[in-house]
Every structure is written in structure tokens, then in C-alpha cells.
Amino acid sequence: MTTAKDIMHSGAQWIPAHETLDRAAQMMRDLNVGALPIADENERLCGIITDRDIVVGCVAMGHDPSKITCGEMAHGTPRWIDAGSDVGAVLEEMQSHQIRRLPVIENKRLIGMISEADLAQHLSDEQIKAFCESVYAAS
């Protein structure tokens, strides 16, 4: 059985909820990623911040990214998957919530992220097609 841990990109890093959006953008640049999981003071997942969130939700609204925290931008219930979950569960989670990135948690700790690129490398053409039709379907 192929698991979330098998297909994830390891080495994902948290950004603390108190950090500002400009710091998040710098981390994304340095790590060459488009999203960061947001951790609360207890290192628990409280959201995900994307480069698009920073641009559309902050900069395009005329706000200063050095004055808004990642925690302020975190909305809704963050989705995640247990490291031991099979690929079918990963696809179900991402498809049913129309998300493109999924944190992987093991023993209550972040150990990686699954992105569309990870799916493309590890899934069959049929699985990728079904994923794209579901996540990118017109709402």
C-alpha cells in the first residue's frame, strides 16, 4: 500500500501564526514553495498560508504585509492527512475539499506536504485525471 508518507515532499516547515506575511513570503522564497502550514503556540496546525493569499488577500487589498500576521489570514478548518493514510484517502481529502496542498502529520508533528506535483509524480494518469476534474471543476 502506498501511503501519504511515501508520496509527500519531506522537510515541510511551519510558520508561526504570529509571524507576518512578509516573513511568510521570504520563507516561501527561501524554501521554493507556494504554501506554508501555520502553527499556533503549541505547534498545532491552525491553517495554511499561500502565496496567492498574500497577494490577493493582503497586497491587492492595499494592506501592508509587514503588519498582518499569518494567523490573521488563516480561515476555516485546516485539512491534513495522517502519514499512514493510503493514497486513496489523500485523493479523497484533496478532492472533497478542493485543495491543492495537504500537510502530512505523524505523531502530532508536521513531517511533510503533498502538493499537485507530488501527485503527478506518484499517481497513474487515470488518478491524476480524476483529481484534476474534481479539484478544478467549476463551482
Side-chain angles (χ1 to χ4, degrees), residues 72-110:
E72 290 174 297
M73 291 294 291
H75 302 289
T77 303
R79 308 306 307 177
W80 57 273
I81 194 87
D82 184 84
S85 298
D86 70 32
V87 172
V90 170
L91 288 172
E92 173 62 28
E93 186 70 18
M94 293 176 82
Q95 289 170 329
S96 65
H97 297 283
Q98 293 191 312
I99 55 177
R100 298 177 178 120
R101 297 172 181 97
L102 189 62
V104 180
I105 306 292
E106 184 175 64
N107 299 322
K108 298 183 182 180
R109 295 280 181 224
L110 175 73

Side-chain angles (χ1 to χ4, degrees), residues 15-83:
I15 187 156
H18 68 269
E19 287 285 357
T20 58
L21 297 181
D22 63 335
R23 179 66 188 120
Q26 293 162 0
M27 278 185 72
M28 287 180 200
R29 177 200 62 211
D30 294 346
L31 297 169
N32 194 31
V33 297
L36 292 169
I38 304 168
D40 66 14
E41 63 278 353
N42 298 316
E43 289 193 359
R44 297 195 62 155
L45 181 67
C46 64
I48 296 178
I49 188 79
T50 67
D51 47 7
R52 187 175 195 287
D53 293 333
I54 296 169
V55 171
V56 174
C58 178
V59 176
M61 301 297 284
H63 302 295
D64 182 349
S66 69
K67 300 204 181 329
I68 297 177
T69 67
C70 293
E72 290 174 297
M73 291 294 291
H75 302 289
T77 303
R79 308 306 307 177
W80 57 273
I81 194 87
D82 184 84

Side-chain angles (χ1 to χ4, degrees), residues 116-135:
E116 295 166 312
D118 299 313
L119 296 179
Q121 291 178 338
H122 294 92
L123 301 180
S124 70
D125 289 345
E126 186 175 302
Q127 288 172 309
I128 293 168
K129 179 178 182 271
F131 171 79
C132 290
E133 286 173 350
S134 174
V135 172

